[in-house]
Amino acid sequence: MNEKILKGIKLTNYKFINKPLVVGGLALEHYNIRETTHDYDYMVSPSDWIELKKIHPDKINLFGGKNEKDVDATINLKENPIDLISTLFQFNYNSLVKNSIDFPEYKIISIANLLLTKTLGAVYNKDPKSINDQKLIVDKIVELQYN
């Protein structure tokens, strides 16, 4: 698992100011909830976001909004399936890094914050994958509580 996360970080060709926060499928795989799909999702700190926007101004995805305050923002590195995320439902790195698991080169989102992000996607967007992930995360939390 560690190798997969580090591979994605290396593919960004960027030296992070703050450790990226692993979210999405890589985080689910870390918690042995399910395997990741095709991409790497990393939430980046506000200071990294400023620098990354300078490097990749043509790869910013505002999800149909006019600016970063309207909607969430990511940088999609399509040549390598990497999403560098500024916000998820306007929750940024500083909000979601709380209680994360710290590794030398990255952090993993806490299982509670992972559930939050998937619940927002499940409820607000009615995203089938997020709905399924939400159930899998709850099952894992219950398993951990009773073991």
Side-chain angles (χ1 to χ4, degrees), residues 75-86:
I75 292 173
N76 305 111
L77 304 178
K78 297 201 186 301
E79 63 275 5
N80 297 306
I82 298 169
D83 293 329
L84 301 171
I85 304 162
S86 171

Side-chain angles (χ1 to χ4, degrees), residues 2-145:
N2 187 343
E3 298 81 28
K4 199 181 284 189
I5 293 169
L6 291 173
K7 177 185 176 190
I9 291 170
K10 185 175 180 183
L11 288 171
T12 66
N13 291 317
Y14 174 75
K15 174 132 175 61
F16 288 91
I17 299 165
N18 297 290
K19 296 176 187 179
L21 181 65
V22 177
V23 298
L26 285 171
L28 289 165
E29 189 167 320
H30 168 81
Y31 289 110
N32 295 313
I33 293 171
R34 72 160 170 82
E35 287 189 19
T36 188
T37 52
H38 64 284
D39 65 351
Y40 302 90
D41 296 316
Y42 303 104
M43 180 164 269
V44 299
S45 71
S47 52
D48 282 307
W49 182 250
I50 290 167
E51 295 305 312
L52 286 161
K53 286 195 310 182
K54 293 175 189 172
I55 298 167
H56 303 289
D58 57 329
K59 296 180 180 174
I60 299 169
N61 182 354
L62 296 177
F63 297 96
K66 292 183 175 39
N67 63 55
E68 294 173 35
K69 300 291 183 218
D70 289 345
V71 291
D72 296 318
T74 66
I75 292 173
N76 305 111
L77 304 178
K78 297 201 186 301
E79 63 275 5
N80 297 306
I82 298 169
D83 293 329
L84 301 171
I85 304 162
S86 171
T87 56
L88 290 170
F89 293 90
Q90 293 300 301
F91 286 93
N92 73 3
Y93 180 93
N94 294 330
S95 299
L96 295 177
V97 76
K98 293 174 184 157
N99 301 313
S100 62
I101 302 169
D102 195 26
F103 287 87
E105 296 181 50
Y106 57 89
K107 294 176 179 273
I108 304 249
I109 192 169
S110 72
I111 197 165
N113 282 338
L114 182 59
L115 178 60
L116 170 66
T117 62
K118 291 298 184 173
T119 299
L120 289 166
V123 173
Y124 187 76
N125 295 331
K126 296 178 180 49
D127 176 53
K129 192 165 131 185
S130 291
I131 292 167
N132 186 58
D133 286 344
Q134 184 183 33
K135 181 189 178 321
L136 294 172
I137 294 166
V138 169
D139 288 347
K140 179 56 98 174
I141 290 170
V142 170
E143 174 190 320
L144 293 171
Q145 284 299 110

